[in-house]
PDB file of all heavy atoms in Angstrom:
ATOM      1  N   LYS M   1      17.984  -2.265  24.847  1.00  0.00           N
ATOM      2  CA  LYS M   1      18.115  -2.249  26.187  1.00  0.00           C
ATOM      3  C   LYS M   1      17.989  -3.718  26.747  1.00  0.00           C
ATOM      4  O   LYS M   1      17.049  -4.430  26.170  1.00  0.00           O
ATOM      5  CB  LYS M   1      17.104  -1.408  27.068  1.00  0.00           C
ATOM      6  CG  LYS M   1      17.226  -0.037  26.730  1.00  0.00           C
ATOM      7  CD  LYS M   1      17.910   0.719  27.695  1.00  0.00           C
ATOM      8  CE  LYS M   1      17.996   2.295  27.357  1.00  0.00           C
ATOM      9  NZ  LYS M   1      19.245   2.844  27.657  1.00  0.00           N
ATOM     10  N   ALA M   2      18.773  -4.331  27.596  1.00  0.00           N
ATOM     11  CA  ALA M   2      18.667  -5.543  28.162  1.00  0.00           C
ATOM     12  C   ALA M   2      19.041  -5.333  29.627  1.00  0.00           C
ATOM     13  O   ALA M   2      19.267  -4.286  30.237  1.00  0.00           O
ATOM     14  CB  ALA M   2      19.711  -6.447  27.564  1.00  0.00           C
ATOM     15  N   SER M   3      19.015  -6.424  30.361  1.00  0.00           N
ATOM     16  CA  SER M   3      19.379  -6.405  31.868  1.00  0.00           C
ATOM     17  C   SER M   3      20.309  -7.687  32.140  1.00  0.00           C
ATOM     18  O   SER M   3      20.009  -8.789  31.673  1.00  0.00           O
ATOM     19  CB  SER M   3      18.134  -6.266  32.691  1.00  0.00           C
ATOM     20  OG  SER M   3      17.516  -7.537  32.871  1.00  0.00           O
ATOM     21  N   ILE M   4      21.224  -7.383  32.930  1.00  0.00           N
ATOM     22  CA  ILE M   4      21.998  -8.455  33.414  1.00  0.00           C
ATOM     23  C   ILE M   4      21.984  -8.319  35.031  1.00  0.00           C
ATOM     24  O   ILE M   4      22.120  -7.351  35.533  1.00  0.00           O
ATOM     25  CB  ILE M   4      23.462  -8.243  33.077  1.00  0.00           C
ATOM     26  CG1 ILE M   4      23.725  -8.277  31.571  1.00  0.00           C
ATOM     27  CG2 ILE M   4      24.385  -9.241  33.716  1.00  0.00           C
ATOM     28  CD1 ILE M   4      25.149  -7.945  30.991  1.00  0.00           C
ATOM     29  N   ASN M   5      21.552  -9.505  35.532  1.00  0.00           N
ATOM     30  CA  ASN M   5      21.322  -9.595  37.077  1.00  0.00           C
ATOM     31  C   ASN M   5      20.409  -8.322  37.589  1.00  0.00           C
ATOM     32  O   ASN M   5      20.732  -7.762  38.540  1.00  0.00           O
ATOM     33  CB  ASN M   5      22.536  -9.572  37.709  1.00  0.00           C
ATOM     34  CG  ASN M   5      23.357 -10.917  37.519  1.00  0.00           C
ATOM     35  OD1 ASN M   5      22.757 -11.776  36.940  1.00  0.00           O
ATOM     36  ND2 ASN M   5      24.662 -10.860  37.936  1.00  0.00           N
ATOM     37  N   GLY M   6      19.372  -7.923  36.608  1.00  0.00           N
ATOM     38  CA  GLY M   6      18.516  -6.977  37.078  1.00  0.00           C
ATOM     39  C   GLY M   6      18.887  -5.465  36.855  1.00  0.00           C
ATOM     40  O   GLY M   6      18.270  -4.529  37.093  1.00  0.00           O
ATOM     41  N   LYS M   7      20.158  -5.345  36.269  1.00  0.00           N
ATOM     42  CA  LYS M   7      20.661  -3.958  35.957  1.00  0.00           C
ATOM     43  C   LYS M   7      20.697  -3.723  34.440  1.00  0.00           C
ATOM     44  O   LYS M   7      21.205  -4.560  33.714  1.00  0.00           O
ATOM     45  CB  LYS M   7      22.039  -3.747  36.545  1.00  0.00           C
ATOM     46  CG  LYS M   7      21.966  -3.813  38.067  1.00  0.00           C
ATOM     47  CD  LYS M   7      23.385  -3.586  38.690  1.00  0.00           C
ATOM     48  CE  LYS M   7      23.167  -3.672  40.216  1.00  0.00           C
ATOM     49  NZ  LYS M   7      24.435  -3.851  40.862  1.00  0.00           N
ATOM     50  N   THR M   8      20.185  -2.571  34.013  1.00  0.00           N
ATOM     51  CA  THR M   8      20.020  -2.220  32.589  1.00  0.00           C
ATOM     52  C   THR M   8      21.450  -1.998  31.980  1.00  0.00           C
ATOM     53  O   THR M   8      22.264  -1.334  32.417  1.00  0.00           O
ATOM     54  CB  THR M   8      19.096  -1.012  32.616  1.00  0.00           C
ATOM     55  OG1 THR M   8      17.860  -1.315  33.101  1.00  0.00           O
ATOM     56  CG2 THR M   8      18.946  -0.660  30.995  1.00  0.00           C
ATOM     57  N   VAL M   9      21.446  -2.586  30.731  1.00  0.00           N
ATOM     58  CA  VAL M   9      22.665  -2.313  29.939  1.00  0.00           C
ATOM     59  C   VAL M   9      22.210  -2.029  28.418  1.00  0.00           C
ATOM     60  O   VAL M   9      21.086  -2.630  28.097  1.00  0.00           O
ATOM     61  CB  VAL M   9      23.708  -3.535  30.013  1.00  0.00           C
ATOM     62  CG1 VAL M   9      24.233  -3.719  31.253  1.00  0.00           C
ATOM     63  CG2 VAL M   9      22.910  -4.826  29.409  1.00  0.00           C
ATOM     64  N   ASN M  10      22.932  -1.381  27.738  1.00  0.00           N
ATOM     65  CA  ASN M  10      22.744  -1.207  26.253  1.00  0.00           C
ATOM     66  C   ASN M  10      23.424  -2.390  25.569  1.00  0.00           C
ATOM     67  O   ASN M  10      24.582  -2.725  25.893  1.00  0.00           O
ATOM     68  CB  ASN M  10      23.161   0.060  25.677  1.00  0.00           C
ATOM     69  CG  ASN M  10      22.390   1.218  26.014  1.00  0.00           C
ATOM     70  OD1 ASN M  10      21.210   1.163  26.194  1.00  0.00           O
ATOM     71  ND2 ASN M  10      22.912   2.485  26.244  1.00  0.00           N
ATOM     72  N   VAL M  11      22.793  -2.978  24.579  1.00  0.00           N
ATOM     73  CA  VAL M  11      23.363  -4.065  23.850  1.00  0.00           C
ATOM     74  C   VAL M  11      23.472  -3.752  22.396  1.00  0.00           C
ATOM     75  O   VAL M  11      22.534  -3.006  21.842  1.00  0.00           O
ATOM     76  CB  VAL M  11      22.641  -5.452  24.051  1.00  0.00           C
ATOM     77  CG1 VAL M  11      22.773  -5.965  25.579  1.00  0.00           C
ATOM     78  CG2 VAL M  11      21.123  -5.360  23.629  1.00  0.00           C
ATOM     79  N   LEU M  12      24.492  -4.222  21.817  1.00  0.00           N
ATOM     80  CA  LEU M  12      24.786  -3.831  20.359  1.00  0.00           C
ATOM     81  C   LEU M  12      24.425  -5.235  19.617  1.00  0.00           C
ATOM     82  O   LEU M  12      25.154  -6.202  19.989  1.00  0.00           O
ATOM     83  CB  LEU M  12      26.137  -3.327  20.084  1.00  0.00           C
ATOM     84  CG  LEU M  12      26.555  -3.058  18.638  1.00  0.00           C
ATOM     85  CD1 LEU M  12      25.686  -2.076  18.033  1.00  0.00           C
ATOM     86  CD2 LEU M  12      27.936  -2.802  18.629  1.00  0.00           C
ATOM     87  N   PHE M  13      23.671  -5.309  18.643  1.00  0.00           N
ATOM     88  CA  PHE M  13      23.426  -6.333  17.757  1.00  0.00           C
ATOM     89  C   PHE M  13      24.504  -6.510  16.793  1.00  0.00           C
ATOM     90  O   PHE M  13      24.685  -5.584  16.053  1.00  0.00           O
ATOM     91  CB  PHE M  13      22.060  -6.453  17.214  1.00  0.00           C
ATOM     92  CG  PHE M  13      20.999  -6.522  18.217  1.00  0.00           C
ATOM     93  CD1 PHE M  13      20.389  -5.537  18.787  1.00  0.00           C
ATOM     94  CD2 PHE M  13      20.445  -7.893  18.501  1.00  0.00           C
ATOM     95  CE1 PHE M  13      19.369  -5.589  19.691  1.00  0.00           C
ATOM     96  CE2 PHE M  13      19.442  -8.017  19.304  1.00  0.00           C
ATOM     97  CZ  PHE M  13      18.840  -6.966  19.987  1.00  0.00           C
ATOM     98  N   ASP M  14      25.274  -7.587  16.746  1.00  0.00           N
ATOM     99  CA  ASP M  14      26.332  -7.854  15.663  1.00  0.00           C
ATOM    100  C   ASP M  14      26.276  -9.376  15.299  1.00  0.00           C
ATOM    101  O   ASP M  14      26.654 -10.246  16.116  1.00  0.00           O
ATOM    102  CB  ASP M  14      27.683  -7.468  16.293  1.00  0.00           C
ATOM    103  CG  ASP M  14      28.766  -7.592  15.321  1.00  0.00           C
ATOM    104  OD1 ASP M  14      28.539  -8.198  14.265  1.00  0.00           O
ATOM    105  OD2 ASP M  14      29.957  -6.992  15.551  1.00  0.00           O
ATOM    106  N   THR M  15      25.634  -9.611  14.152  1.00  0.00           N
ATOM    107  CA  THR M  15      25.457 -10.929  13.663  1.00  0.00           C
ATOM    108  C   THR M  15      26.798 -11.723  13.439  1.00  0.00           C
ATOM    109  O   THR M  15      26.895 -12.852  13.309  1.00  0.00           O
ATOM    110  CB  THR M  15      24.610 -11.100  12.470  1.00  0.00           C
ATOM    111  OG1 THR M  15      25.162 -10.349  11.513  1.00  0.00           O
ATOM    112  CG2 THR M  15      23.178 -10.610  12.717  1.00  0.00           C
ATOM    113  N   GLY M  16      27.911 -11.012  13.384  1.00  0.00           N
ATOM    114  CA  GLY M  16      29.173 -11.605  13.113  1.00  0.00           C
ATOM    115  C   GLY M  16      30.092 -11.777  14.282  1.00  0.00           C
ATOM    116  O   GLY M  16      31.250 -12.073  14.072  1.00  0.00           O
ATOM    117  N   ALA M  17      29.505 -11.637  15.466  1.00  0.00           N
ATOM    118  CA  ALA M  17      30.447 -11.667  16.729  1.00  0.00           C
ATOM    119  C   ALA M  17      29.784 -12.640  17.730  1.00  0.00           C
ATOM    120  O   ALA M  17      28.645 -13.005  17.752  1.00  0.00           O
ATOM    121  CB  ALA M  17      30.330 -10.271  17.350  1.00  0.00           C
ATOM    122  N   ILE M  18      30.720 -13.011  18.614  1.00  0.00           N
ATOM    123  CA  ILE M  18      30.317 -13.916  19.709  1.00  0.00           C
ATOM    124  C   ILE M  18      29.860 -12.873  20.800  1.00  0.00           C
ATOM    125  O   ILE M  18      30.285 -11.663  20.862  1.00  0.00           O
ATOM    126  CB  ILE M  18      31.584 -14.629  20.195  1.00  0.00           C
ATOM    127  CG1 ILE M  18      31.144 -15.647  21.282  1.00  0.00           C
ATOM    128  CG2 ILE M  18      32.642 -13.761  20.773  1.00  0.00           C
ATOM    129  CD1 ILE M  18      32.135 -16.662  21.619  1.00  0.00           C
ATOM    130  N   SER M  19      28.888 -13.301  21.545  1.00  0.00           N
ATOM    131  CA  SER M  19      28.290 -12.430  22.559  1.00  0.00           C
ATOM    132  C   SER M  19      29.326 -12.080  23.739  1.00  0.00           C
ATOM    133  O   SER M  19      29.996 -12.996  24.216  1.00  0.00           O
ATOM    134  CB  SER M  19      27.102 -13.009  23.237  1.00  0.00           C
ATOM    135  OG  SER M  19      26.031 -13.219  22.233  1.00  0.00           O
ATOM    136  N   ILE M  20      29.510 -10.863  24.033  1.00  0.00           N
ATOM    137  CA  ILE M  20      30.515 -10.520  25.039  1.00  0.00           C
ATOM    138  C   ILE M  20      29.873  -9.386  25.875  1.00  0.00           C
ATOM    139  O   ILE M  20      28.864  -8.724  25.512  1.00  0.00           O
ATOM    140  CB  ILE M  20      31.856  -9.970  24.451  1.00  0.00           C
ATOM    141  CG1 ILE M  20      31.646  -8.735  23.647  1.00  0.00           C
ATOM    142  CG2 ILE M  20      32.502 -11.036  23.731  1.00  0.00           C
ATOM    143  CD1 ILE M  20      32.800  -8.012  23.119  1.00  0.00           C
ATOM    144  N   VAL M  21      30.386  -9.175  27.133  1.00  0.00           N
ATOM    145  CA  VAL M  21      30.137  -7.996  27.939  1.00  0.00           C
ATOM    146  C   VAL M  21      31.488  -7.353  28.214  1.00  0.00           C
ATOM    147  O   VAL M  21      32.351  -7.937  28.562  1.00  0.00           O
ATOM    148  CB  VAL M  21      29.484  -8.456  29.389  1.00  0.00           C
ATOM    149  CG1 VAL M  21      29.258  -7.264  30.251  1.00  0.00           C
ATOM    150  CG2 VAL M  21      28.223  -9.263  29.178  1.00  0.00           C
ATOM    151  N   SER M  22      31.469  -5.973  27.987  1.00  0.00           N
ATOM    152  CA  SER M  22      32.772  -5.290  28.357  1.00  0.00           C
ATOM    153  C   SER M  22      33.054  -5.490  29.760  1.00  0.00           C
ATOM    154  O   SER M  22      32.260  -5.592  30.667  1.00  0.00           O
ATOM    155  CB  SER M  22      32.651  -3.769  27.943  1.00  0.00           C
ATOM    156  OG  SER M  22      31.858  -3.203  28.806  1.00  0.00           O
ATOM    157  N   ARG M  23      34.399  -5.255  30.044  1.00  0.00           N
ATOM    158  CA  ARG M  23      34.879  -5.419  31.486  1.00  0.00           C
ATOM    159  C   ARG M  23      34.280  -4.351  32.307  1.00  0.00           C
ATOM    160  O   ARG M  23      33.917  -4.637  33.447  1.00  0.00           O
ATOM    161  CB  ARG M  23      36.257  -5.451  31.473  1.00  0.00           C
ATOM    162  CG  ARG M  23      36.940  -5.866  32.778  1.00  0.00           C
ATOM    163  CD  ARG M  23      38.409  -5.990  32.808  1.00  0.00           C
ATOM    164  NE  ARG M  23      38.894  -6.106  34.145  1.00  0.00           N
ATOM    165  CZ  ARG M  23      39.801  -6.864  34.457  1.00  0.00           C
ATOM    166  NH1 ARG M  23      40.481  -7.659  33.503  1.00  0.00           N
ATOM    167  NH2 ARG M  23      40.323  -7.077  35.691  1.00  0.00           N
ATOM    168  N   ASN M  24      34.124  -3.104  31.737  1.00  0.00           N
ATOM    169  CA  ASN M  24      33.567  -2.059  32.446  1.00  0.00           C
ATOM    170  C   ASN M  24      32.031  -2.263  32.858  1.00  0.00           C
ATOM    171  O   ASN M  24      31.564  -2.060  33.920  1.00  0.00           O
ATOM    172  CB  ASN M  24      33.667  -0.704  31.677  1.00  0.00           C
ATOM    173  CG  ASN M  24      35.080  -0.147  31.659  1.00  0.00           C
ATOM    174  OD1 ASN M  24      35.978  -0.603  32.520  1.00  0.00           O
ATOM    175  ND2 ASN M  24      35.333   0.668  30.814  1.00  0.00           N
ATOM    176  N   ALA M  25      31.288  -2.742  31.939  1.00  0.00           N
ATOM    177  CA  ALA M  25      29.895  -3.164  32.109  1.00  0.00           C
ATOM    178  C   ALA M  25      29.802  -4.235  33.117  1.00  0.00           C
ATOM    179  O   ALA M  25      28.936  -4.261  34.029  1.00  0.00           O
ATOM    180  CB  ALA M  25      29.130  -3.468  30.769  1.00  0.00           C
ATOM    181  N   ALA M  26      30.669  -5.265  32.990  1.00  0.00           N
ATOM    182  CA  ALA M  26      30.678  -6.435  33.980  1.00  0.00           C
ATOM    183  C   ALA M  26      30.844  -5.926  35.403  1.00  0.00           C
ATOM    184  O   ALA M  26      30.178  -6.327  36.451  1.00  0.00           O
ATOM    185  CB  ALA M  26      31.708  -7.363  33.597  1.00  0.00           C
ATOM    186  N   LYS M  27      31.777  -4.958  35.536  1.00  0.00           N
ATOM    187  CA  LYS M  27      32.057  -4.278  36.877  1.00  0.00           C
ATOM    188  C   LYS M  27      30.776  -3.485  37.298  1.00  0.00           C
ATOM    189  O   LYS M  27      30.359  -3.611  38.461  1.00  0.00           O
ATOM    190  CB  LYS M  27      33.232  -3.463  36.795  1.00  0.00           C
ATOM    191  CG  LYS M  27      34.560  -4.202  36.818  1.00  0.00           C
ATOM    192  CD  LYS M  27      35.699  -3.338  36.842  1.00  0.00           C
ATOM    193  CE  LYS M  27      37.068  -3.974  36.990  1.00  0.00           C
ATOM    194  NZ  LYS M  27      38.203  -3.241  36.968  1.00  0.00           N
ATOM    195  N   ARG M  28      30.296  -2.765  36.409  1.00  0.00           N
ATOM    196  CA  ARG M  28      29.056  -1.990  36.822  1.00  0.00           C
ATOM    197  C   ARG M  28      27.904  -2.681  37.302  1.00  0.00           C
ATOM    198  O   ARG M  28      27.250  -2.217  38.146  1.00  0.00           O
ATOM    199  CB  ARG M  28      28.675  -1.010  35.539  1.00  0.00           C
ATOM    200  CG  ARG M  28      27.631   0.042  35.878  1.00  0.00           C
ATOM    201  CD  ARG M  28      27.317   0.924  34.777  1.00  0.00           C
ATOM    202  NE  ARG M  28      26.969   0.401  33.447  1.00  0.00           N
ATOM    203  CZ  ARG M  28      25.570  -0.061  33.327  1.00  0.00           C
ATOM    204  NH1 ARG M  28      24.741   0.061  34.304  1.00  0.00           N
ATOM    205  NH2 ARG M  28      25.179  -0.693  32.128  1.00  0.00           N
ATOM    206  N   VAL M  29      27.541  -3.815  36.650  1.00  0.00           N
ATOM    207  CA  VAL M  29      26.461  -4.664  37.004  1.00  0.00           C
ATOM    208  C   VAL M  29      26.771  -5.705  38.114  1.00  0.00           C
ATOM    209  O   VAL M  29      25.981  -6.456  38.489  1.00  0.00           O
ATOM    210  CB  VAL M  29      25.824  -5.374  35.740  1.00  0.00           C
ATOM    211  CG1 VAL M  29      25.343  -4.320  34.760  1.00  0.00           C
ATOM    212  CG2 VAL M  29      26.602  -6.437  35.155  1.00  0.00           C
ATOM    213  N   GLY M  30      28.103  -5.613  38.589  1.00  0.00           N
ATOM    214  CA  GLY M  30      28.369  -6.506  39.708  1.00  0.00           C
ATOM    215  C   GLY M  30      28.800  -7.930  39.395  1.00  0.00           C
ATOM    216  O   GLY M  30      28.771  -8.815  40.254  1.00  0.00           O
ATOM    217  N   LEU M  31      29.118  -8.160  38.033  1.00  0.00           N
ATOM    218  CA  LEU M  31      29.541  -9.575  37.664  1.00  0.00           C
ATOM    219  C   LEU M  31      30.931  -9.857  38.210  1.00  0.00           C
ATOM    220  O   LEU M  31      31.283 -11.072  38.492  1.00  0.00           O
ATOM    221  CB  LEU M  31      29.530  -9.737  36.214  1.00  0.00           C
ATOM    222  CG  LEU M  31      28.144  -9.736  35.490  1.00  0.00           C
ATOM    223  CD1 LEU M  31      28.396  -9.896  33.991  1.00  0.00           C
ATOM    224  CD2 LEU M  31      27.268 -10.826  36.086  1.00  0.00           C
ATOM    225  N   ILE M  32      31.788  -8.895  38.425  1.00  0.00           N
ATOM    226  CA  ILE M  32      33.136  -9.100  38.900  1.00  0.00           C
ATOM    227  C   ILE M  32      33.571  -8.260  40.025  1.00  0.00           C
ATOM    228  O   ILE M  32      34.593  -7.645  40.141  1.00  0.00           O
ATOM    229  CB  ILE M  32      34.183  -9.011  37.649  1.00  0.00           C
ATOM    230  CG1 ILE M  32      34.024  -7.637  36.856  1.00  0.00           C
ATOM    231  CG2 ILE M  32      34.139 -10.143  36.639  1.00  0.00           C
ATOM    232  CD1 ILE M  32      35.107  -7.463  35.860  1.00  0.00           C
ATOM    233  N   ASP M  33      32.627  -8.292  40.947  1.00  0.00           N
ATOM    234  CA  ASP M  33      33.001  -7.660  42.273  1.00  0.00           C
ATOM    235  C   ASP M  33      34.263  -8.359  42.873  1.00  0.00           C
ATOM    236  O   ASP M  33      35.090  -7.819  43.415  1.00  0.00           O
ATOM    237  CB  ASP M  33      31.806  -7.738  43.324  1.00  0.00           C
ATOM    238  CG  ASP M  33      30.741  -6.779  42.863  1.00  0.00           C
ATOM    239  OD1 ASP M  33      30.928  -5.806  42.065  1.00  0.00           O
ATOM    240  OD2 ASP M  33      29.532  -7.012  43.296  1.00  0.00           O
ATOM    241  N   ASP M  34      34.322  -9.635  42.702  1.00  0.00           N
ATOM    242  CA  ASP M  34      35.381 -10.515  43.206  1.00  0.00           C
ATOM    243  C   ASP M  34      36.063 -11.047  41.935  1.00  0.00           C
ATOM    244  O   ASP M  34      35.486 -11.963  41.372  1.00  0.00           O
ATOM    245  CB  ASP M  34      34.872 -11.587  44.038  1.00  0.00           C
ATOM    246  CG  ASP M  34      35.905 -12.541  44.601  1.00  0.00           C
ATOM    247  OD1 ASP M  34      37.137 -12.281  44.172  1.00  0.00           O
ATOM    248  OD2 ASP M  34      35.489 -13.576  45.214  1.00  0.00           O
ATOM    249  N   GLU M  35      37.226 -10.655  41.612  1.00  0.00           N
ATOM    250  CA  GLU M  35      37.866 -11.097  40.398  1.00  0.00           C
ATOM    251  C   GLU M  35      38.318 -12.539  40.445  1.00  0.00           C
ATOM    252  O   GLU M  35      38.699 -13.160  39.375  1.00  0.00           O
ATOM    253  CB  GLU M  35      39.001 -10.205  39.959  1.00  0.00           C
ATOM    254  CG  GLU M  35      38.543  -8.852  39.572  1.00  0.00           C
ATOM    255  CD  GLU M  35      39.446  -7.993  38.735  1.00  0.00           C
ATOM    256  OE1 GLU M  35      40.473  -8.522  38.259  1.00  0.00           O
ATOM    257  OE2 GLU M  35      39.154  -6.775  38.701  1.00  0.00           O
ATOM    258  N   LYS M  36      38.098 -13.186  41.600  1.00  0.00           N
ATOM    259  CA  LYS M  36      38.388 -14.684  41.700  1.00  0.00           C
ATOM    260  C   LYS M  36      37.476 -15.557  40.942  1.00  0.00           C
ATOM    261  O   LYS M  36      37.686 -16.659  40.665  1.00  0.00           O
ATOM    262  CB  LYS M  36      38.464 -15.016  43.099  1.00  0.00           C
ATOM    263  CG  LYS M  36      39.667 -14.369  43.810  1.00  0.00           C
ATOM    264  CD  LYS M  36      39.540 -14.759  45.361  1.00  0.00           C
ATOM    265  CE  LYS M  36      40.759 -14.052  46.109  1.00  0.00           C
ATOM    266  NZ  LYS M  36      40.464 -14.037  47.492  1.00  0.00           N
ATOM    267  N   VAL M  37      36.216 -14.971  40.612  1.00  0.00           N
ATOM    268  CA  VAL M  37      35.246 -15.684  39.871  1.00  0.00           C
ATOM    269  C   VAL M  37      35.512 -15.740  38.436  1.00  0.00           C
ATOM    270  O   VAL M  37      34.822 -16.395  37.606  1.00  0.00           O
ATOM    271  CB  VAL M  37      33.794 -15.327  40.137  1.00  0.00           C
ATOM    272  CG1 VAL M  37      33.448 -15.174  41.643  1.00  0.00           C
ATOM    273  CG2 VAL M  37      33.625 -13.807  39.608  1.00  0.00           C
ATOM    274  N   MET M  38      36.463 -15.032  37.915  1.00  0.00           N
ATOM    275  CA  MET M  38      36.752 -14.922  36.498  1.00  0.00           C
ATOM    276  C   MET M  38      37.646 -16.128  36.036  1.00  0.00           C
ATOM    277  O   MET M  38      38.684 -16.374  36.566  1.00  0.00           O
ATOM    278  CB  MET M  38      37.583 -13.603  36.262  1.00  0.00           C
ATOM    279  CG  MET M  38      36.798 -12.354  36.524  1.00  0.00           C
ATOM    280  SD  MET M  38      37.731 -10.790  36.487  1.00  0.00           S
ATOM    281  CE  MET M  38      38.309 -10.792  34.702  1.00  0.00           C
ATOM    282  N   THR M  39      37.137 -16.808  34.953  1.00  0.00           N
ATOM    283  CA  THR M  39      37.925 -17.901  34.423  1.00  0.00           C
ATOM    284  C   THR M  39      38.483 -17.552  32.996  1.00  0.00           C
ATOM    285  O   THR M  39      37.724 -17.105  32.280  1.00  0.00           O
ATOM    286  CB  THR M  39      36.993 -19.148  34.262  1.00  0.00           C
ATOM    287  OG1 THR M  39      36.332 -19.299  35.499  1.00  0.00           O
ATOM    288  CG2 THR M  39      37.723 -20.373  33.668  1.00  0.00           C
ATOM    289  N   PRO M  40      39.782 -17.601  32.804  1.00  0.00           N
ATOM    290  CA  PRO M  40      40.349 -17.172  31.513  1.00  0.00           C
ATOM    291  C   PRO M  40      39.671 -17.945  30.383  1.00  0.00           C
ATOM    292  O   PRO M  40      39.486 -19.181  30.408  1.00  0.00           O
ATOM    293  CB  PRO M  40      41.756 -17.479  31.698  1.00  0.00           C
ATOM    294  CG  PRO M  40      42.109 -17.680  33.062  1.00  0.00           C
ATOM    295  CD  PRO M  40      40.770 -18.066  33.784  1.00  0.00           C
ATOM    296  N   ALA M  41      39.412 -17.223  29.298  1.00  0.00           N
ATOM    297  CA  ALA M  41      38.759 -17.860  28.179  1.00  0.00           C
ATOM    298  C   ALA M  41      39.414 -17.451  26.832  1.00  0.00           C
ATOM    299  O   ALA M  41      38.860 -17.497  25.760  1.00  0.00           O
ATOM    300  CB  ALA M  41      37.189 -17.483  28.176  1.00  0.00           C
ATOM    301  N   GLY M  42      40.769 -17.246  26.907  1.00  0.00           N
ATOM    302  CA  GLY M  42      41.345 -16.956  25.597  1.00  0.00           C
ATOM    303  C   GLY M  42      41.281 -15.522  25.198  1.00  0.00           C
ATOM    304  O   GLY M  42      41.253 -14.565  26.136  1.00  0.00           O
ATOM    305  N   THR M  43      41.214 -15.295  23.987  1.00  0.00           N
ATOM    306  CA  THR M  43      41.142 -13.846  23.425  1.00  0.00           C
ATOM    307  C   THR M  43      39.936 -13.633  22.623  1.00  0.00           C
ATOM    308  O   THR M  43      39.306 -14.535  22.035  1.00  0.00           O
ATOM    309  CB  THR M  43      42.422 -13.593  22.575  1.00  0.00           C
ATOM    310  OG1 THR M  43      42.460 -14.437  21.512  1.00  0.00           O
ATOM    311  CG2 THR M  43      43.727 -13.639  23.346  1.00  0.00           C
ATOM    312  N   VAL M  44      39.503 -12.465  22.590  1.00  0.00           N
ATOM    313  CA  VAL M  44      38.474 -12.027  21.625  1.00  0.00           C
ATOM    314  C   VAL M  44      38.969 -11.036  20.586  1.00  0.00           C
ATOM    315  O   VAL M  44      39.968 -10.271  20.929  1.00  0.00           O
ATOM    316  CB  VAL M  44      37.310 -11.402  22.383  1.00  0.00           C
ATOM    317  CG1 VAL M  44      36.560 -12.352  23.359  1.00  0.00           C
ATOM    318  CG2 VAL M  44      37.688 -10.193  23.256  1.00  0.00           C
ATOM    319  N   PHE M  45      38.476 -10.982  19.442  1.00  0.00           N
ATOM    320  CA  PHE M  45      38.832 -10.003  18.367  1.00  0.00           C
ATOM    321  C   PHE M  45      37.723  -9.861  17.357  1.00  0.00           C
ATOM    322  O   PHE M  45      36.819 -10.550  17.383  1.00  0.00           O
ATOM    323  CB  PHE M  45      40.054 -10.647  17.647  1.00  0.00           C
ATOM    324  CG  PHE M  45      39.677 -12.082  17.123  1.00  0.00           C
ATOM    325  CD1 PHE M  45      39.343 -12.238  15.754  1.00  0.00           C
ATOM    326  CD2 PHE M  45      40.023 -13.121  17.835  1.00  0.00           C
ATOM    327  CE1 PHE M  45      38.924 -13.551  15.313  1.00  0.00           C
ATOM    328  CE2 PHE M  45      39.817 -14.516  17.410  1.00  0.00           C
ATOM    329  CZ  PHE M  45      39.346 -14.650  16.122  1.00  0.00           C
TER     330      PHE M  45
END
């Protein structure tokens, strides 16, 4: 368990990955209430 902006989220440890937040989780914790704050950052895989 971790928290983003005070809201609890489950995190998965993956030593071979870059750290990401799913779009659904980002919406749930209020990171993208306004999609204008989103800056494109390429692709993840």
Side-chain angles (χ1 to χ4, degrees):
K1 300 261 184 220
S3 72
I4 298 173
N5 294 348
K7 296 184 180 166
T8 301
V9 293
N10 283 327
V11 294
L12 173 68
F13 292 86
D14 183 343
T15 58
I18 188 168
S19 298
I20 61 170
V21 176
S22 73
R23 191 170 173 145
N24 287 341
K27 284 183 179 181
R28 186 174 62 77
V29 301
L31 291 179
I32 52 177
D33 290 337
D34 176 5
E35 294 200 11
K36 293 176 188 167
V37 301
M38 297 170 62
T39 304
T43 57
V44 293
F45 54 90

